[in-house]
Amino acid sequence: MTPRALRITVLALLAVPSVAVAQPAPSHSPTRYVTRPGDTCVGIARSVYRDGRMTVLIHRANPFMGPPPHRLRPGTVLTLPPRDAVASAPDATLTAVHNAVELRAPAPPQTPAPAPPAPRPGRPNDPLYRGTRVHTQERSSAEVTFADETQLQLAERTLIVILGETSQRVQRDASARDTVLERGTLTAFLANADRQRGPAPSTAVRTEAARVTFDRGTEARLEVDDRSRATLAVYQGRSQVSAPRQRVPVPRGYGVRAVRGRPIPPPRLLPLAPVWQSRPPALVLTDEPSATLVAEVHAGVATPNARGELPPTPAQWHIEVARDARFGELLADLRGPAQRDRIEVPGVEPGRYFFRVSALDAEGFRGPSSEALQVTVRTVAVRPDPASRARDVVVGAGLFCALDGAPLAETTDAPIAVERRHAHTLRCATSADARDAVERRFDPEPYAPLHLTAALSNADGAARTGTVRVSVRDASNAPVTDATPRFEAVDPALHVGDAVAVEGAPGEWTFPVTWTERPSTTAFRVSVDEVRADTDPLALPDAPPPPPPPPPPPETFVHRLALHVDGLGAAMLSGYQRNDDRSAAEYQFSAPALSWGYGGGVRAGLQIVRPDGGWRGPSLAVEAGAAYVRFPTGASTTLSQSAAAFTTLGAGLRIEPFAGRWRLWADAHANLAFTGSLLRSAFDVGVGIDVPLGARAGLGPFVRYVHLVEPGTTATEEDAKTLLVGLSLTLRAPSPRW
């Protein structure tokens, strides 16, 4: 460390706050002062209070002037409080703080020297005395304003020490020339000269590599990097860089870099201020949490100056987005290659910002910034109204907006309602003249896919009726209220009645439903315009089981009776009765030539075994009846006509072995046969089919064999064998089991 740097450091640690010499104002009550051409706050403080640092009294008593630096207009009336209002005026004021800024006051002069006080957070309007260290942390910034309204804007990771010389004049008129920049970046904005006192002395900032002096009315940027190199860029006014036995003037538009222990090189031209080729919109409407600012710049037209020098070609763009017009509160501090004209700044949250770009040459010298543009980012929140097909567009207060071509009107925090089924255009601007108006289009929202919820109530399984309630919502889950849905059953076994909207429940409908039989699916199809969807299947109640049949009344004997009436045709099977050979002497007088005949029969039956629950099952019955069969004889016969017929009386069994509607039956009877005057024994067997004609009657064909036994042994005493074929009608008595 050089002896000069060591002396500066010792002064920083040992300096104490100065106490202004009390020069009371002529009066102990506030006075009025009317400004004149050329007046400045520091000039008035010197004239009235004999101390330029007393501008703090003027600023506090006249808040209408706003933040410094002030441009006083002639004729402005100021209130000047008495001097004893402040015991000790600060050398500077911390006028702006962004994020983390630390202040460390100097240690009081004692022997031995105590440890320096611990740092504390800096707050706006904190007074700063000589020896105070101001340190901005990462992503932080600060602004220091001195009594003469000179301002130093400190970038992130910057450390300065406010120091003062020992001369009486410096004690009275503390300024930024008493400041040491140890590391970081500051931008100096120097007030104009005090015309009442003549040109004020230049303002100096000391670094380890050099001493930088700024003239009044200067705007310059000074940076000390981690290698202690001091880089100066002058944008307005002029400055000079001094080192032992060397002083280099730096005019406007030039820069210089000083390295400790080396000669200061000649100033070099700075890159030109970039020119906006495509500006970012003054108003950005977004539906995202943040927006991306997009712009295009170019390096400007480079022309030789009076010395024939050309500005260097930009190597990088330095992009800054800040919340304030002085770019003290940076939101984004980015760098990008200058080969690309398109600049993008992502992640810009809603708010009002200032946007500028500067160029860096290959050596890292930063040129003047482009025109600063004001950009407002506003989130347009779109919220569906759950009670209708509308949606609320929220842009917030402070803009001028209109919907679908209407005149611009200032917005409030109240939402703007738009119908979601139609397209809308929202036009907004930051002022009523609409010079920066932008548009945002809202496309119509479709119904599809429909969201359906169905429930079944008042269901009656016996009557097969019920009521279905369906909630119909669109793709954004808003109730469908601007159209009448159509409801139909997916299965044709379900029948849907007229739908009715549920009062007080938007988008909900009820309709009656009936069914004739159990459907394959119980889902319902809902149609809104051309959009269709099916509900989930519903559970239908089962029909209650039928009541048990009443017990049948007790059966009686009559209930088991049946009557069979037969109509039949007969064929004689015995050779003796059928013979018509007239040449045979043994048959000459006794052969009746019987062949075909007819007859009928009646039998009454009593069931002794019958099926449970009716007559469809095996049964067994006893029968008794009579039959008459007649065979017509030839004309030449001499036999009695009665010999050509027989009658049987007998009893037997009838069985029906199989259950079914068509019942097969078989029977067998033992009989007494009467043929003429003769009495013979006989038997018969039969088989047939009984086709029901109802619960009490049946009809069907049958075949029966009848055998009459002849007791003689001669040739003319052959047994009569007859085959009967016919129809049998069965009549049954009514039965409670049928």
Side-chain angles (χ1 to χ4, degrees), residues 169-407:
R169 174 167 179 160
V170 170
Q171 290 180 2
R172 292 196 308 268
D173 304 325
S175 68
R177 67 178 179 273
D178 307 318
T179 300
V180 172
L181 175 62
E182 292 192 0
R183 63 178 179 273
T185 302
L186 62 82
T187 302
F189 301 91
L190 275 71
N192 292 324
D194 180 7
R195 297 181 183 177
Q196 291 183 347
R197 300 285 302 273
S202 300
T203 298
V205 175
R206 296 176 182 174
T207 70
E208 186 175 346
R211 184 173 185 267
V212 179
T213 305
F214 307 98
D215 286 350
R216 290 302 186 184
T218 294
E219 178 185 346
R221 185 173 186 271
L222 179 61
E223 178 182 358
V224 174
D225 60 18
D226 53 1
R227 297 162 58 184
S228 299
R229 298 181 304 175
T231 302
L232 173 68
V234 180
Y235 306 129
Q236 296 289 340
R238 58 184 179 180
S239 304
Q240 64 180 7
V241 181
S242 302
R245 297 180 298 277
Q246 189 179 12
R247 178 176 297 176
V248 177
V250 183
R252 172 185 176 181
Y254 282 80
V256 70
R257 177 171 292 152
V259 180
R260 178 185 172 189
R262 296 184 184 178
I264 300 173
R268 55 184 294 161
L269 273 176
L270 298 175
L272 294 177
V275 178
W276 294 109
Q277 184 173 345
S278 172
R279 298 175 174 229
L283 177 62
V284 178
L285 301 179
T286 178
D287 56 0
E288 299 293 335
S290 62
T292 299
L293 301 184
V294 180
E296 293 183 359
V297 297
H298 63 84
V301 180
T303 58
N305 59 11
R307 302 178 183 178
E309 299 173 324
L310 283 172
T313 301
Q316 287 183 311
W317 301 126
H318 185 196
I319 306 145
E320 295 174 293
V321 179
R323 298 185 183 274
D324 61 321
R326 296 287 296 274
F327 286 83
E329 189 177 343
L330 288 179
L331 175 70
D333 190 355
L334 308 174
R335 297 189 181 189
Q339 291 77 12
R340 297 179 57 185
D341 294 339
R342 181 181 174 89
I343 294 174
E344 295 184 1
V345 182
V348 181
E349 297 179 350
R352 189 184 69 170
Y353 304 98
F354 295 86
F355 189 19
R356 71 182 182 185
V357 181
S358 57
L360 299 172
D361 64 10
E363 296 297 326
F365 282 87
R366 173 180 163 179
S369 298
S370 65
E371 175 191 1
L373 303 179
Q374 182 174 328
V375 179
T376 300
V377 177
R378 185 66 63 91
T379 296
V380 178
V382 180
R383 299 194 298 259
D385 185 353
S388 68
R389 279 285 297 170
R391 50 187 169 182
D392 292 336
V393 179
V394 182
V395 297
L399 294 182
F400 292 82
C401 296
L403 193 66
D404 298 333

Side-chain angles (χ1 to χ4, degrees), residues 580 582 588-589 591-593 633-639:
D580 58 358
R582 303 301 177 93
Q588 182 177 4
F589 298 103
T633 59
S636 59
T637 180
T638 60
L639 294 177

Side-chain angles (χ1 to χ4, degrees), residues 603-620:
R603 292 184 305 280
L606 173 65
Q607 286 184 321
I608 57 176
V609 176
R610 64 184 306 184
D612 293 335
W615 58 274
R616 292 187 179 182
S619 67
L620 178 65

Side-chain angles (χ1 to χ4, degrees), residues 46-132:
R46 287 171 180 159
S47 175
V48 175
Y49 302 112
R50 303 296 188 267
D51 189 342
R53 296 178 298 174
M54 291 298 107
T55 54
V56 64
L57 295 178
I58 302 174
H59 295 164
R60 292 178 182 176
N62 300 275
F64 67 90
M65 294 190 300
H70 299 130
R71 301 291 184 263
L72 300 181
R73 295 180 179 179
T76 303
V77 179
L78 301 178
T79 299
L80 302 181
R83 168 63 188 265
D84 55 5
V86 176
S88 176
D91 297 276
T93 303
L94 190 64
T95 50
V97 173
H98 175 55
N99 289 342
V101 178
E102 288 185 353
L103 300 182
R104 185 190 292 269
Q110 296 180 10
T111 303
R120 66 174 179 84
R123 294 179 294 271
N125 299 321
D126 273 350
L128 303 176
Y129 298 94
R130 280 190 292 272
T132 302

Side-chain angles (χ1 to χ4, degrees), residues 419-576:
E419 215 291 319
R420 286 184 282 173
R421 286 297 308 280
H422 303 91
H424 299 279
T425 300
L426 179 68
R427 185 166 174 258
C428 292
T430 58
S431 59
D433 56 19
R435 287 180 297 178
D436 56 358
V438 295
E439 292 184 351
R440 171 73 185 278
R441 178 178 171 83
F442 299 97
D443 294 328
E445 293 186 4
Y447 280 124
L450 293 177
H451 298 279
L452 307 176
T453 303
L456 179 66
S457 61
N458 302 326
D460 188 341
R464 297 182 177 181
T465 61
T467 301
V468 176
R469 181 167 179 165
V470 180
S471 172
V472 184
R473 293 180 172 267
D474 61 12
S476 58
N477 205 32
V480 175
T481 57
D482 59 346
T484 301
R486 299 188 305 275
F487 301 94
E488 57 184 340
V490 176
D491 192 288
L494 286 165
H495 303 280
V496 174
D498 295 335
V500 178
V502 179
E503 185 176 356
E508 296 192 13
W509 303 77
T510 62
F511 53 85
V513 61
T514 60
W515 61 95
T516 56
E517 58 184 16
R518 175 69 68 172
S520 60
T521 178
T522 55
F524 297 90
R525 183 157 297 149
V526 182
S527 303
V528 180
D529 291 346
E530 302 301 326
V531 181
R532 294 182 178 179
D534 292 348
T535 67
D536 292 333
L538 302 178
L540 297 179
D542 294 328
E555 289 187 326
T556 64
F557 176 80
V558 177
H559 294 153
R560 295 175 174 267
L561 293 179
L563 180 64
H564 308 284
V565 180
D566 299 335
L568 52 90
M572 183 61 70
L573 302 180
S574 300
Y576 178 80

